[in-house]
Amino acid sequence: MIRLPDDEPRPALMLPSRIGWQIYYSEIIFCDPPCLILQAVPEFAGGGNDLAEHGIVWDVFALIDSIKQAGAHQLLTADCGYAPDVYIEESVLVSHPDSNTVVWELDIAGLRPALDKTLIGDREGFVRLVFAREQYEADIKALIRTLQQAGSGPVPVTTLDSRTHGLQRLLTDYPACDSLSVDELEPDIKGMALERLLELDASEPWPHTPL
C-alpha cells in the first residue's frame, strides 16, 4: 500500500494493474510473397477496450526501458510510432518508489485516447497505476516471448482476425496462400524493430539504473 504525503497531488483514480496485451496482425503487405505486420495491443487497468481500432499499441522497447529506469516513457503510442497521430500527447511517467513496486502516472488529458471513457468520464488530473515489480517484469518478458513466437513462424491464414487489413483481398487473389510470415513489428521507431525483437533474450536479468 502506497501512502501519499499530505502535500502530494491526489490522483483522480488509483488502481492496481498488470501488463496485458493482445497479439494483433494488423495488415497484410502485398509484396512477393505477401506478409504481415505485427502489433501488441495494450491491456491495463483503466485502458480502453478499442485500442486496436484506434491504432494504439505498446512500444515493447519502451516497456523494457521502464523496467531499467524510471522517467517519462512513451509506452503507449501510435502504430506508426508517432503518438500525436492517435492524439496521444503525453508520455507515461514511471517511478520506482521501492524495490517491490512500479508506479505509472497517466495524464488524463494527454492520454485520454488510450483510457476507458466509461471509467474516466470527465475527470481531470491523472490516473495512478500500481504494479508489483516482480510481476511487472515477468509480464513484460512474457510479452516479449509471445511476440517473438508470433513474429518468427508462419501464421496460418485461418487464424487471422477479420479486422486484418487486406484479408479479403488475400482470400480472393491468393487462394493457394495458406500461411504468411511476419515482416514488420510496429511501432518501428528506430528501424529493424522485428529483428531487434527477435534478438532479445527475455531470460536475462535487466539491471535497474537509478536516476
Side-chain angles (χ1 to χ4, degrees), residues 24 39 42 50-57 77-81 86 88:
Y24 183 44
Q39 301 171 351
D50 56 354
L51 302 189
E53 289 80 357
H54 288 85
I56 296 173
V57 299
T77 191
D79 50 19
C80 69
V86 291
I88 288 177

Side-chain angles (χ1 to χ4, degrees), residues 33-34 155-158 167 169-180:
V155 179
V157 171
T158 54
L167 179 58
R169 176 184 169 188
L170 182 80
L171 296 174
T172 301
D173 296 347
Y174 298 80
C177 181
D178 58 4
S179 66
L180 301 172

Side-chain angles (χ1 to χ4, degrees), residues 5 11 28 34 67 137 143 154 192-193 202:
I28 297 170
I67 292 176
E137 296 190 19
L143 169 57
M192 306 291 287

